[in-house]
């Protein structure tokens, strides 16, 4: 009997709007639209980056599929004197979000597993040279239901990792509440090591 274990890695900005760390023209205020939310397992919740791996194990081995995307970026430039504003939008290239098999053991038994290298590198498309949302994580998905993640990510924005079995309820694996916007700049400063059995 086949079993599918899914792992979802998401980054999001908890505030509604954040002030740009880059100087705005004199007389103006520059802000970026956040995701205005807390931790949320709903796959339709707003995000900066999203990556999902679906590993299917069978009696003869396994297969996997991977999904990636970035959220819409909105910059608001407000005239401080009049309050009038202009919004600009863009979307970061999702090609910087990758997943590849680091190692695997697929003989059809309960000890089968995949170990993936998951990388995130998605920068603000509206500001040339802006620091990217970065992570470098090893994600192990075992047929037995054991899920583990280890590696590094930026201290901004917030990160959440969930897992599910056969498309069922998402379960918490890792939750990180963002620090300050300055933690978006290199280097990655948060170490991750979490393990949980979801079956």
């Amino acid at each position: 009997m086949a079993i599918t274990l899914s792992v979802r890695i998401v980054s999001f900005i908890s505030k509604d709007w954040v002030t740009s760390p880059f100087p705005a023209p004199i007389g103006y205020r520059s802000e970026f639209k956040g995701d205005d939310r807390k931790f949320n397992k709903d796959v339709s919740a707003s995000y900066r980056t999203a990556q999902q791996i679906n590993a299917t194990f069978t009696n003869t081995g396994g297969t996997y599929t991977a999904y990636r995307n970035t959220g819409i970026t909105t910059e608001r430039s407000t005239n401080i004197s009049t309050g009038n504003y202009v919004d600009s939008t863009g979307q970061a290239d999702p090609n910087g979000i990758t997943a590849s098999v680091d190692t695997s053991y697929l003989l059809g038994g309960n000890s089968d597993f995949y170990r993936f290298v998951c990388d995130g590198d998605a920068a603000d498309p509206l500001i040339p040279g802006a620091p990217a949302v970065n992570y470098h994580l090893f994600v192990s998905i075992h047929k037995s239901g054991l899920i583990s993640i280890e590696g590094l990510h930026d201290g901004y924005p917030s990160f959440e990792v969930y897992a599910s079995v056969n498309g069922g309820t998402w379960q918490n694996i890792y939750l990180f509440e963002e620090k300050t916007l300055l933690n978006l700049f290199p280097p990655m400063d948060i170490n991750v090591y979490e393990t949980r059995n979801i079956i």
Side-chain angles (χ1 to χ4, degrees):
M1 179 178 177
I3 182 172
T4 298
L5 304 176
S6 301
V7 174
R8 185 170 173 83
I9 304 168
V10 178
S11 69
F12 67 94
I13 296 172
S14 63
K15 293 183 179 179
D16 188 14
W17 291 91
V18 293
T19 301
S20 172
F22 301 96
I26 295 176
Y28 285 82
R29 181 177 67 253
S30 179
E31 301 169 287
F32 286 94
K33 184 80 173 71
D35 299 295
D36 190 25
R37 70 175 180 88
K38 300 183 183 300
F39 298 116
N40 190 335
K41 300 173 187 177
D42 188 340
V43 297
S44 67
S46 179
Y47 54 78
R48 297 303 86 214
T49 64
Q51 178 175 33
Q52 184 171 320
I53 300 168
N54 307 305
T56 299
F57 298 95
T58 66
N59 291 333
T60 58
T63 59
Y64 75 93
T65 59
Y67 161 89
R68 63 188 178 187
N69 204 4
T70 58
I72 300 299
T73 297
T74 300
E75 181 182 17
R76 174 167 292 179
S77 181
T78 303
N79 185 307
I80 296 173
S81 298
T82 66
N84 294 331
Y85 63 85
V86 175
D87 286 350
S88 302
T89 61
Q91 186 169 15
D93 188 345
N95 287 333
I97 303 172
T98 61
S100 59
V101 176
D102 176 59
T103 186
S104 63
Y105 183 84
L106 300 167
L107 297 181
N110 200 48
S111 58
D112 284 6
F113 73 91
Y114 280 106
R115 186 177 191 241
F116 297 92
V117 181
C118 297
D119 285 297
D121 187 350
D124 187 326
L126 302 178
I127 300 181
V133 174
N134 290 115
Y135 59 85
H136 178 69
L137 300 171
F138 291 93
V139 177
S140 296
I141 304 176
H142 294 252
K143 185 177 182 179
S144 64
L146 183 69
I147 307 291
S148 67
I149 61 168
E150 58 181 307
L152 292 165
H153 65 72
D154 287 334
Y156 190 94
S158 295
F159 285 82
E160 55 192 7
V161 180
Y162 302 114
S164 73
V165 182
N166 292 332
T169 302
W170 291 100
Q171 302 180 47
N172 293 345
I173 302 297
Y174 174 74
L175 304 175
F176 173 82
E177 188 172 351
E178 64 200 38
K179 294 185 178 181
T180 72
L181 192 56
L182 293 177
N183 293 98
L184 180 60
F185 290 81
M188 291 184 280
D189 52 341
I190 304 299
N191 287 290
V192 181
Y193 184 80
E194 293 288 339
T195 298
R196 181 172 176 186
N197 197 312
I198 63 170
I199 295 179

